[in-house]
Amino acid sequence: MGLSPSWLLSRKMLRVALSILCCLLVVFLAAKELGTYYSKKIIDERLEHAGLRSFVHYKAISFSPFTLTPTLQSVSLGNEHYPWLAFRTISLKWLPLIYPDLRVSFQFDPHKSLARDSRRLLSKLGIDALKGSGLFTSNKIGRQLTSKLNLTIEQVGTLHWKSRLDLLTNTLSLQEFRSDLLASIALRQMSAMPIIYGDSVAFDKVSIRFHDTGLVHHLFPLQKHPAQKRNQMNITSTLEKVVDEMGLAKAGSHTSQLIVHQLLSFWHHPETLTFVMAPSKALSLKEIMLLSQNKQLYAGAKLSVTTHSITTP
């Protein structure tokens, strides 16, 4: 008895389907290997170019062919064994079609042993390990660059940053700008940015919102005893000094007192603190630096500080 035509057709279709699946698997594995190879090559080159190759350490790189996303595994900043900051993963949404736009997500590694200074800072914050995650995005439309950072740290709070920059020169390379910014942050040399890009970048608007979930309580605990008044005086003096050193306003001035009043309100009932810079015209980095040096940044850059708090019983 011969085989029916329908059975033979079904078997042929099955073989074709299996062949297609095998081809797709081979293509997937090849794309993954090639993506991993080129991701590592380009990331290492950019770290070398930025002078951070000896500062940034990672164990491995994986690559997703579906989203064209390389992910760095077990990243350490600083000393490889006792870094000042450690990440479980850092993922880069790396689609060539949308460059120079960026989308970087990361997770802290709470199990990594950190440097002594980092452990001391975490202790002041009242936490044993750094737990949390973040997402950074940056999009360029014309000559305007909009960047956002959402950062959550358990037992500390949530930070939302948004900035809108005007690119003032056609020769400005975003890759160079981002590399120099990362290097200046990592090496703690932020003062170099206004010197290099003072006339190339202008701030159109910046907003920073911090929602507290324990930071203020650990840094400045309220004392429910007669010494509380003295404690508030110390806090006030500290805040006035910070406002002066940041160049927001001169210590003892009316503007300084207004800023300190808002910060004290947040200290008493910490919930959400918001900073907004919205100048009437975009301010270059050089102009911002001069305002800060003259202790006029708050008024000159049209800064505002607001708090949203709940009254405790």
Side-chain angles (χ1 to χ4, degrees):
M1 183 176 179
L3 299 174
S4 65
S6 61
W7 187 87
L8 291 174
L9 181 60
S10 298
R11 185 162 184 174
K12 184 178 180 179
M13 291 179 64
L14 179 61
R15 281 200 295 264
V16 171
L18 289 175
S19 298
I20 293 175
L21 286 175
C22 289
C23 290
L24 290 176
L25 180 60
V26 170
V27 171
F28 173 81
L29 293 176
K32 187 176 179 65
E33 287 297 320
L34 286 173
T36 301
Y37 171 78
Y38 283 108
S39 295
K40 185 179 188 317
K41 183 175 183 295
I42 293 175
I43 289 173
D44 286 345
E45 286 177 353
R46 292 189 177 180
L47 288 175
E48 188 73 36
H49 181 74
L52 297 174
R53 191 67 191 89
S54 61
F55 185 82
V56 180
H57 312 275
Y58 61 88
K59 285 190 176 180
I61 291 180
S62 60
F63 182 81
S64 170
F66 297 112
T67 59
L68 300 182
T69 300
T71 299
L72 285 75
Q73 310 284 346
S74 188
V75 184
S76 299
L77 304 184
N79 184 281
E80 185 174 3
H81 303 290
Y82 294 97
W84 63 269
L85 200 57
F87 300 88
R88 181 180 297 165
T89 59
I90 298 179
S91 297
L92 309 169
K93 188 77 171 183
W94 209 3
L95 290 171
L97 293 177
I98 64 172
Y99 184 81
D101 295 348
L102 289 178
R103 182 182 175 88
V104 183
S105 58
F106 52 89
Q107 286 187 329
F108 296 110
D109 187 350
H111 305 295
K112 184 76 172 181
S113 297
L114 300 178
R116 183 179 302 173
D117 290 344
S118 297
R119 295 199 305 269
R120 186 182 299 116
L121 176 60
L122 292 180
S123 178
K124 289 182 179 179
L125 299 180
I127 57 178
D128 299 323
L130 189 59
K131 301 177 182 179
S133 60
L135 174 65
F136 173 78
T137 60
S138 184
N139 306 98
K140 181 177 180 291
I141 300 178
R143 298 179 64 178
Q144 199 166 73
L145 185 69
T146 300
S147 302
K148 298 179 183 179
L149 172 65
N150 296 322
L151 177 64
T152 299
I153 300 178
E154 293 184 19
Q155 303 178 44
V156 174
T158 302
L159 177 72
H160 301 279
W161 164 293
K162 182 177 180 180
S163 64
R164 191 166 64 232
L165 304 182
D166 290 341
L167 308 178
L168 304 179
T169 61
N170 295 324
T171 57
L172 176 65
S173 168
L174 276 182
Q175 180 179 330
E176 295 285 344
F177 176 71
R178 287 163 172 163
S179 296
D180 289 341
L181 179 60
L182 179 61
S184 64
I185 293 174
L187 301 175
R188 301 177 186 180
Q189 296 177 351
M190 287 298 293
S191 58
M193 291 301 292
I195 298 174
I196 302 173
Y197 296 100
D199 295 317
S200 302
V201 177
F203 284 86
D204 187 52
K205 185 174 182 180
V206 178
S207 64
I208 305 171
R209 187 173 76 255
F210 175 72
H211 181 75
D212 181 84
T213 57
L215 174 65
V216 174
H217 172 74
H218 291 297
L219 287 180
F220 309 109
L222 287 170
Q223 300 179 16
K224 304 298 183 181
H225 53 68
Q228 180 179 351
K229 185 174 182 180
R230 183 175 67 251
N231 186 48
Q232 177 165 328
M233 291 176 62
N234 292 335
I235 295 296
T236 301
S237 177
T238 300
L239 292 176
E240 287 180 347
K241 184 178 179 181
V242 170
V243 169
D244 185 89
E245 290 179 349
M246 292 181 64
L248 294 173
K250 189 175 181 180
S253 66
H254 178 67
T255 302
S256 175
Q257 292 174 3
L258 289 176
I259 301 172
V260 171
H261 174 75
Q262 289 290 345
L263 296 178
L264 281 175
S265 176
F266 179 69
W267 174 61
H268 281 290
H269 306 292
E271 188 179 320
T272 301
L273 181 67
T274 303
F275 290 87
V276 175
M277 185 183 83
S280 52
K281 69 177 185 67
L283 294 174
S284 68
L285 274 176
K286 181 181 290 185
E287 290 173 317
I288 290 176
M289 181 179 67
L290 290 174
L291 286 172
S292 178
Q293 289 176 346
N294 294 327
K295 304 187 187 302
Q296 297 175 343
L297 184 57
Y298 188 87
K302 297 293 189 297
L303 282 166
S304 64
V305 182
T306 57
T307 60
H308 177 257
S309 60
I310 54 176
T311 304
T312 55

